Amino acid sequence: MLIYKLLTKGAQTEDHAEYLYKLRMRNISIRMLQITILISIFVAWEIMGRQGWINTFLMSQPSKILNLLVKMLENGEIIRHIKITLIEDLIGFCGGSILGIIIAILFWWSNYLFDLLEPYIVILNSIPKVALGPVIIVWMGNGPQSIILMALLISIIVIIMMLINGFHEVEKNKIKLLQTMGASKKQILFKVILPASIPTIFSALKVSVGLSLVGTIVGEFLVSRAGLGYLIVYGGQVFNLHMVMVSIIILSIMAGLMYYIIIIFEKIIVKWR
Amino acid sequence: MENIKVRLENIKKKYISLKGEILALKNINLLVGEKEFISIVGPSGCGKTTLLSLISGLIPPDKGKVYIDDKEVKDICQCVGYMLQQDYLFEWRTVYENVRLGLEIKHMLNSNTPKKITDILNSYGLEDFTNRYPAELSGGMKQRVALARTLITDPEILLLDEPFSSLDYQTKLTLEEELSNILESKKKTVILVTHDIAEAISMADRVIVLSNRPGKIKFTINIDFTNNLTPIAKRKKKIFQDYFDAIWKELEIYVNL
């Protein structure tokens, strides 16, 4: 009864209460099941390891992962690697996003420039940027600067492509409306093109936040000095699969958190929907 | 006609594209008096919108000249308010901010602006929607906001490009009535482009019929209801039907289904 009261909070009528109850129950059940699935996987994994059904040397095991994580937290090692990866990724992602938005604006400003450079951008978009890794390291040196550049390159192209499309999809008559008021090109950019493209900018950011992390991790694979990517490669080489798993789990949490931060920003900024 | 506000002289306008060229307007000569309300009707694609674009200075004519107040139009004239077929409100701006748009673009913001916007919103019955976003408004409400956005800069010439065509019939009549009320107190030179003959007659002092492409002025008729009537009242008069028939006859030959 108490649960029913809680779940029907704010109901206008009895039918509305019924509706709210069903809707909220559904949402709660989805959340509960999501958590249950996650826990079940780890529990099954742990049991199979303990029973000797799987080889924990190759497959690792939740309890051992947890032990290692605690140990690495105590000596501060994992924090150091997380910090390195996070900083590299954030610089690459933010740099790529800001540069990408600026380049997209330039392409909008000059249609000629865009038509001129379009084939190069299309090709740049299609080649796996990871293939450029060794070249970047040779040119930029074996350090964080190369990793940041990888993260930046991998995310910038998506931003440019998605924004160019978004800018061109802005309703022509909204631009005409401003023109009839005597607006300059700069006013058209700031009063209609950019604000109308804010939802597109957020979609592009959501895609590129994951891609920049790919760039960072691959960069760390290649540079092999520090960071979560380095821990994964190192752990793999010395057959310390627990270390690999610790890094992967932290990476997943990182990627998820960054994605949600963007969604929160979107909710704050896009108020009109 | 004592004072000429808008003068079109021998206008020719064509559009050139990859496929070739299309002659949109030919030999257009038109005088619009100060504070006169004229309606332009014609078959679709006859260059009605082009005519408005030329007067506003949005595009230049290929031949001929457009004058406002005896000055040749070479660029967007600040004295023109242009209203498009749909409201085209910016969905990321509140009603208040949408109305402010014209003032921002024309660099007309000052300390008096908030009061000015509040006043216009009040007089259009929009005071409860000041801080709402367009997504929360009905079609008629949106078009009312668009009207406020156009009139806030107090243009001397109002160009209306089928402004009510996207609305349902009742809303359309209401807005015609309201626009006519507003213009009653603040006389302006108005050019209304429409495909709705009844709207043209009930709003205008003079109706101009354009021919099929290339658009030429085919027929002009003065509308006179003797005493001041509202658009809805005009629709009920017998003479309304006579005007309608006269214009319909001129348009009719272009109707092919």
Side-chain angles (χ1 to χ4, degrees):
Chain A
M1 217 41 225
L2 184 70
I3 294 171
Y4 188 82
K5 257 191 187 152
L6 263 175
L7 288 180
T8 54
K9 218 177 135 208
Q12 308 284 329
T13 62
E14 245 171 64
D15 284 344
H16 187 216
E18 191 66 23
Y19 172 82
L20 283 179
Y21 179 75
K22 273 186 185 155
L23 190 76
R24 286 169 183 170
M25 266 315 251
R26 181 183 178 277
N27 293 342
I28 290 171
S29 74
I30 287 176
R31 279 275 178 271
M32 299 288 248
L33 270 176
Q34 282 169 338
I35 295 166
T36 311
I37 290 170
L38 192 70
I39 292 172
S40 314
I41 290 172
F42 280 96
V43 169
W45 190 0
E46 182 66 30
I47 291 170
M48 286 194 286
R50 291 207 175 172
Q51 297 293 324
W53 296 339
I54 54 168
N55 184 342
T56 53
F57 180 69
L58 296 178
M59 304 292 281
S60 190
Q61 198 179 356
S63 57
K64 288 184 178 159
I65 296 170
L66 198 66
N67 277 340
L68 182 65
L69 179 63
V70 171
K71 216 176 86 193
M72 288 177 96
L73 275 171
E74 275 169 355
N75 62 22
E77 204 187 342
I78 196 76
I79 301 294
R80 186 172 70 89
H81 290 290
I82 291 175
K83 260 190 195 161
I84 288 170
T85 300
L86 198 62
I87 289 170
E88 287 167 343
D89 181 51
L90 283 180
I91 297 175
F93 171 66
C94 295
S97 305
I98 292 166
L99 266 177
I101 293 173
I102 291 172
I103 291 172
I105 289 173
L106 287 178
F107 282 153
W108 172 80
W109 196 279
S110 166
N111 224 344
Y112 191 85
L113 187 70
F114 175 64
D115 287 347
L116 180 73
L117 296 180
E118 196 189 3
Y120 302 107
I121 294 173
V122 170
I123 291 170
L124 261 181
N125 184 43
S126 335
I127 58 165
K129 262 66 68 183
V130 175
L132 296 176
V135 184
I136 290 171
I137 288 171
V138 171
W139 287 352
M140 299 287 295
N142 198 35
Q145 68 280 11
S146 293
I147 299 169
I148 290 169
L149 189 63
M150 290 266 300
L152 187 147
L153 272 183
I154 219 167
S155 55
I156 194 170
I157 307 281
V158 188
I159 300 261
I160 295 173
M161 301 273 281
M162 285 179 76
L163 283 197
I164 283 286
N165 277 333
F167 289 171
H168 284 294
E169 273 166 24
V170 174
E171 210 153 5
K172 296 286 171 287
N173 277 319
K174 283 192 178 140
I175 299 168
K176 183 179 174 182
L177 178 81
L178 284 195
Q179 285 169 336
T180 65
M181 294 171 173
S184 63
K185 194 157 188 177
K186 197 174 132 204
Q187 283 179 319
I188 291 174
L189 174 68
F190 285 106
K191 299 285 182 195
V192 66
I193 299 290
L194 287 179
S197 302
I198 286 173
T200 315
I201 292 175
F202 275 109
S203 308
L205 289 181
K206 280 185 221 161
V207 176
S208 71
V209 74
L211 286 176
S212 69
L213 204 53
V214 173
T216 309
I217 296 304
V218 172
E220 286 175 353
F221 281 2
L222 296 172
V223 170
S224 263
R225 278 200 182 154
L228 293 171
Y230 160 76
L231 279 187
I232 292 171
V233 166
Y234 174 75
Q237 278 165 353
V238 300
F239 276 90
N240 185 348
L241 267 296
H242 311 315
M243 190 188 272
V244 176
M245 291 299 174
V246 165
S247 313
I248 290 175
I249 290 168
I250 291 171
L251 262 181
S252 329
I253 295 170
M254 233 166 93
L257 279 180
M258 286 197 289
Y259 190 85
Y260 273 105
I261 288 171
I262 293 177
I263 288 185
I264 290 168
F265 270 110
E266 188 179 18
K267 284 220 170 108
I268 294 171
I269 294 172
V270 186
K271 280 175 296 197
W272 58 87
R273 283 219 171 144
Chain B
M1 220 184 286
E2 311 95 56
N3 290 318
I4 307 293
K5 190 73 183 170
V6 181
R7 181 153 56 97
L8 302 179
E9 248 174 32
N10 274 322
I11 296 291
K12 182 181 148 190
K13 179 69 195 172
K14 60 185 179 186
Y15 289 107
I16 301 176
S17 71
L18 263 184
K19 284 179 193 157
E21 58 173 70
I22 293 169
L23 188 57
L25 291 172
K26 198 176 137 188
N27 272 334
I28 300 279
N29 285 293
L30 179 64
L31 297 178
V32 186
E34 181 142 28
K35 311 216 185 305
E36 190 186 12
F37 193 135
I38 71 162
S39 283
I40 298 173
V41 294
S44 48
C46 72
K48 292 180 299 231
T49 300
T50 304
L51 204 57
L52 290 190
S53 297
L54 285 166
I55 295 169
S56 71
L58 211 52
I59 52 172
D62 293 315
K63 254 190 207 154
K65 278 172 184 162
V66 180
Y67 297 92
I68 292 177
D69 287 332
D70 264 332
K71 268 187 288 188
E72 191 181 343
V73 174
K74 290 199 165 137
D75 206 346
I76 303 288
C77 181
Q78 296 285 336
C79 59
V80 167
Y82 199 133
M83 211 166 149
L84 302 169
Q85 283 175 15
Q86 281 167 47
D87 54 79
Y88 295 114
L89 295 180
F90 291 0
E91 62 270 22
W92 56 90
R93 284 173 171 247
T94 60
V95 165
Y96 180 91
E97 291 164 338
N98 265 295
V99 174
R100 198 178 58 198
L101 185 67
L103 299 172
E104 287 173 30
I105 299 295
K106 295 186 180 185
H107 305 289
M108 285 162 69
L109 293 178
N110 56 41
S111 56
N112 200 23
T113 304
K115 191 188 174 302
K116 205 171 157 186
I117 298 176
T118 313
D119 285 350
I120 203 166
L121 288 177
N122 284 345
S123 62
Y124 289 13
L126 291 164
E127 60 272 22
D128 295 337
F129 300 93
T130 309
N131 294 313
R132 300 286 189 88
Y133 287 98
E136 303 169 73
L137 306 185
S138 69
M141 282 290 182
K142 284 187 202 168
Q143 203 58 309
R144 216 169 268 156
V145 177
L147 187 63
R149 180 185 59 193
T150 312
L151 291 177
I152 191 88
T153 54
D154 205 17
E156 292 164 36
I157 302 171
L158 201 53
L159 304 179
L160 307 172
D161 188 356
E162 306 195 26
F164 309 130
S165 61
S166 61
L167 303 173
D168 61 81
Y169 192 67
Q170 270 98 338
T171 315
K172 181 186 169 117
L173 287 186
T174 315
L175 277 178
E176 281 173 20
E177 204 80 352
E178 282 178 20
L179 177 63
S180 157
N181 267 334
I182 292 163
L183 293 173
E184 196 60 42
S185 54
K186 277 189 175 182
K187 275 282 190 185
K188 290 182 189 300
T189 307
V190 187
I191 302 175
L192 167 73
V193 153
T194 178
H195 58 248
D196 180 344
I197 303 173
E199 181 174 274
I201 299 168
S202 60
M203 300 290 289
D205 305 320
R206 187 154 56 107
V207 177
I208 287 159
V209 180
L210 286 189
S211 70
N212 235 329
R213 206 165 52 211
K216 286 182 300 251
I217 294 181
K218 188 165 182 283
F219 180 69
T220 303
I221 185 168
N222 287 315
I223 308 290
D224 191 0
F225 282 92
T226 52
N227 35 12
N228 249 346
L229 295 174
T230 67
I232 289 176
K234 284 181 190 172
R235 284 172 189 257
K236 288 172 187 154
K237 291 280 168 192
K238 198 211 152 276
I239 193 171
F240 184 90
Q241 193 58 43
D242 299 338
Y243 284 133
F244 193 99
D245 292 338
I247 295 169
W248 176 253
K249 207 178 81 202
E250 294 299 323
L251 272 171
E252 198 181 29
I253 49 169
Y254 298 108
V255 177
N256 34 37
L257 295 170

